[in-house]
Amino acid sequence: MKTLIRGRVLSFYADPAETDDNHRFWDNGAILVQDGRILAVGDYADIADPQAQEIDHRPHIVMAGFIDPHLHFPQVQVVAAWAAELLDWLNDHTFPIEAQYRDPDHAARMAGAFLDQLIRNGTTTACAFGSVHKASAEALFAAAESRGMALLAGKVMMDRNAPDAVLDDAQSSYDDSRALIERWHGRGRLEYAITPRFAITSTPEQLRAAGQLAAENPGMAVQTHLSENRAEIELTMQLYPEVRDYLDIYDHFGLLGPRSLMGHSIHLSDRETARMAETGTRAIHCPTSNLFLGSGLFDDHAMRAAGVVTGVATDIGGGTSWSMLATLAEAYKIAQLRGRRMHPLAAFHWATRGNAIALGMEDRIGSVQPGRFADLVVLDPCATAAMRLRHDKVDSLMQELFILQVMGDDRAVVETYVAGRAQKSPQAAE
Ligand code: GUN
Ligand code: ZN
């Protein structure tokens, strides 16, 4: 069974921040889908197929689904927690709520709610932290598998500086991670991500165990946090007095590389930035979270100029919105504060193909090209009354995208396709 998804189709094949020759846009476009993958994309007239079931999304924009490379599954109910800064926020709100994910039933309920929010917001792939409990990762993987989503996740490893209810130990964190890898990694579209929370909540023994997992599983993703705020960095340096800087801790334990994702990466020395570039380690910008917790202003321009690959993420629940559109709006404002004007094409590339590159998955997701999974989002630049009023005055794709970026949220997401299946209104397509 083939499906033909009609709309105004946008596809990136290069980064607009790097080259002018970067995208194709078909105003009367279509995407031919079979067995979850894209067979063809182009003008409707060229690829119309009498055997395909047609779904017409005109005049809405169809593009690759959003990718969220850093967020926390057990923080579904942490968003908008009132705290002075990161460490208070973790201790006063986050750890107590994460403790509830010890219960597999609670974890299963929340896994459904978590994936519903992603889909509602047009996000088709995420890289998520679990709680410390193996049950949390089990629940999330099971829920993602049943929806056919490409998901990366891992049980958080944390063995100090938090309440007992959210602590493991070096050995059990290794054993549990390994059991989860054996059960879930590479199953369907699922991938395991080795997940030491951050240096403050891991003893050196635990980071050694994380490094051992990385060494035993070459090419497996590693996710953690790096240099988010000043108090965090100060405490980290007290806990690891022998290192040169924060990044050096992860380096020492073999946790850097092209599949390593460093959430936040704000307050870095030139040495750390250069070392990230040298090792291929990714920096993940979390704009709404960094503003909400008052952590600092990520410098995307400087990171890219130094050769670091960057991604952009919601960081739910330090982040305040599930929407990658709202996330791009805050990223735009942070760039403005740094004297850089982000082009809307660059923004939409970042949240799709750019994040796929950050995750090392650009051969499968992130762009509308034959062979890629049909993970798609359908966007309406006139979704609200205010957007409609503004839209009356625009005359280019670039301006339409900018309205979506600055004014859009889940209301602008008309439909989300995962491997060719409509998720918001499943009857629309198989
Ligand atoms: N650093 C360590 N854990 C966390 C977390 O859950 N959220 C954020 N924003 N930073 C962290
Ligand atoms: Zn985080």
Side-chain angles (χ1 to χ4, degrees):
M1 177 65 187
K2 291 184 205 164
T3 310
L4 191 71
I5 298 168
R6 285 187 79 170
R8 300 169 63 224
V9 177
L10 173 64
S11 173
F12 291 102
Y13 50 83
D15 188 346
E18 288 165 12
T19 168
D20 290 340
D21 182 12
N22 51 60
H23 74 278
R24 291 290 306 270
F25 182 65
W26 295 275
D27 206 36
N28 185 6
I31 304 165
L32 189 61
V33 176
Q34 188 173 32
D35 297 331
R37 304 236 187 196
I38 297 168
L39 272 185
V41 56
D43 270 323
Y44 173 75
D46 294 338
I47 64 164
D49 182 332
Q51 279 156 19
Q53 181 203 355
E54 241 180 68
I55 306 162
D56 195 350
H57 286 297
R58 289 175 302 164
H60 300 142
I61 297 170
V62 188
M63 57 184 290
F66 298 126
I67 298 171
D68 188 347
H70 182 116
L71 81 171
H72 296 257
F73 160 48
Q75 294 177 17
V76 173
Q77 295 174 300
V78 179
V79 183
W82 198 59
E85 53 90 44
L86 170 67
L87 299 178
D88 296 327
W89 176 85
L90 284 171
N91 290 316
D92 298 346
H93 301 282
T94 308
F95 292 152
I97 287 183
E98 291 199 7
Q100 299 173 353
Y101 286 71
R102 174 200 201 95
D103 171 7
D105 292 336
H106 178 72
R109 262 194 317 278
M110 287 298 150
F114 178 85
L115 296 180
D116 283 349
Q117 282 303 320
L118 294 182
I119 292 301
R120 218 190 145 70
N121 284 279
T123 299
T124 46
T125 285
C127 184
F129 287 65
S131 72
V132 72
H133 318 96
K134 196 170 159 222
S136 71
E138 290 278 355
L140 187 57
F141 278 132
E145 182 177 54
S146 73
R147 295 176 196 223
M149 282 177 80
L151 183 100
L152 300 89
K155 160 218 135 53
V156 141
M157 305 168 79
M158 50 192 293
D159 67 348
R160 65 170 168 181
N161 291 323
D164 284 348
V166 288
L167 290 183
D168 52 18
D169 59 56
Q171 187 62 45
S172 73
S173 70
Y174 173 86
D175 293 342
D176 284 351
S177 301
R178 208 174 135 166
L180 287 164
I181 290 166
E182 278 163 16
R183 183 160 153 83
W184 294 104
H185 183 66
R187 182 159 147 178
R189 302 185 68 193
L190 307 176
E191 269 196 54
Y192 196 79
I194 300 159
T195 309
R197 182 171 209 125
F198 66 158
I200 289 176
T201 49
S202 284
T203 59
E205 293 68 43
Q206 184 165 66
L207 290 186
R208 193 166 300 114
Q212 191 181 336
L213 287 167
E216 288 167 357
N217 297 279
M220 184 170 286
V222 174
Q223 57 179 346
T224 187
H225 297 86
L226 173 72
S227 290
E228 182 171 350
N229 88 5
R230 300 283 181 197
E232 172 216 12
I233 296 168
E234 201 173 304
L235 179 55
T236 304
M237 290 299 104
Q238 284 167 19
L239 292 167
Y240 288 89
E242 68 285 3
V243 300
R244 277 179 287 198
D245 45 45
Y246 198 157
L247 186 76
D248 203 28
I249 300 168
Y250 299 134
D251 204 351
H252 181 76
F253 292 105
L255 293 168
L256 304 187
R259 294 230 66 207
S260 294
L261 308 158
M262 299 287 148
H264 305 281
S265 300
I266 301 172
H267 310 282
L268 300 176
S269 65
D270 291 348
R271 192 208 79 81
E272 288 173 295
T273 305
R275 182 66 182 149
M276 287 182 79
E278 185 178 272
T279 54
T281 303
R282 282 29 180 168
I284 308 297
H285 183 17
C286 304
T288 71
S289 170
N290 295 341
L291 294 172
F292 178 70
L293 293 170
S295 302
L297 304 179
F298 180 82
D299 192 345
D300 184 57
H301 182 78
M303 295 303 273
R304 284 171 190 251
V308 178
V309 175
T310 66
V312 60
T314 64
D315 192 29
I316 290 291
T320 53
S321 173
W322 291 83
S323 169
M324 287 302 293
L325 297 170
T327 301
L328 292 174
E330 299 312 285
Y332 178 84
K333 295 169 197 169
I334 290 171
Q336 289 288 97
L337 286 170
R338 291 205 168 271
R340 301 274 164 194
R341 186 169 51 150
M342 188 194 300
H343 196 284
L345 282 171
F348 280 84
H349 174 272
W350 204 9
T352 55
R353 183 174 174 271
N355 277 339
I357 292 170
L359 291 175
M361 298 171 77
E362 68 274 23
D363 59 338
R364 280 158 282 164
I365 56 172
S367 50
V368 186
Q369 284 185 48
R372 302 290 196 277
F373 280 95
D375 290 351
L376 306 166
V377 63
V378 183
L379 297 170
D380 177 6
C382 298
T384 66
M387 290 169 82
R388 209 171 307 119
L389 281 168
R390 176 68 184 90
H391 194 267
D392 277 350
K393 296 289 176 208
V394 312
D395 57 9
S396 71
L397 172 67
M398 178 261 180
Q399 290 175 15
E400 284 187 283
L401 292 176
F402 199 49
I403 291 175
L404 282 164
Q405 178 182 353
V406 175
M407 303 178 78
D409 53 31
D410 57 327
R411 291 168 296 179
V413 176
V414 174
E415 188 53 275
T416 304
Y417 290 89
V418 170
R421 283 174 182 262
Q423 303 288 311
K424 282 194 134 178
S425 49
Q427 72 282 3
E430 268 309 298

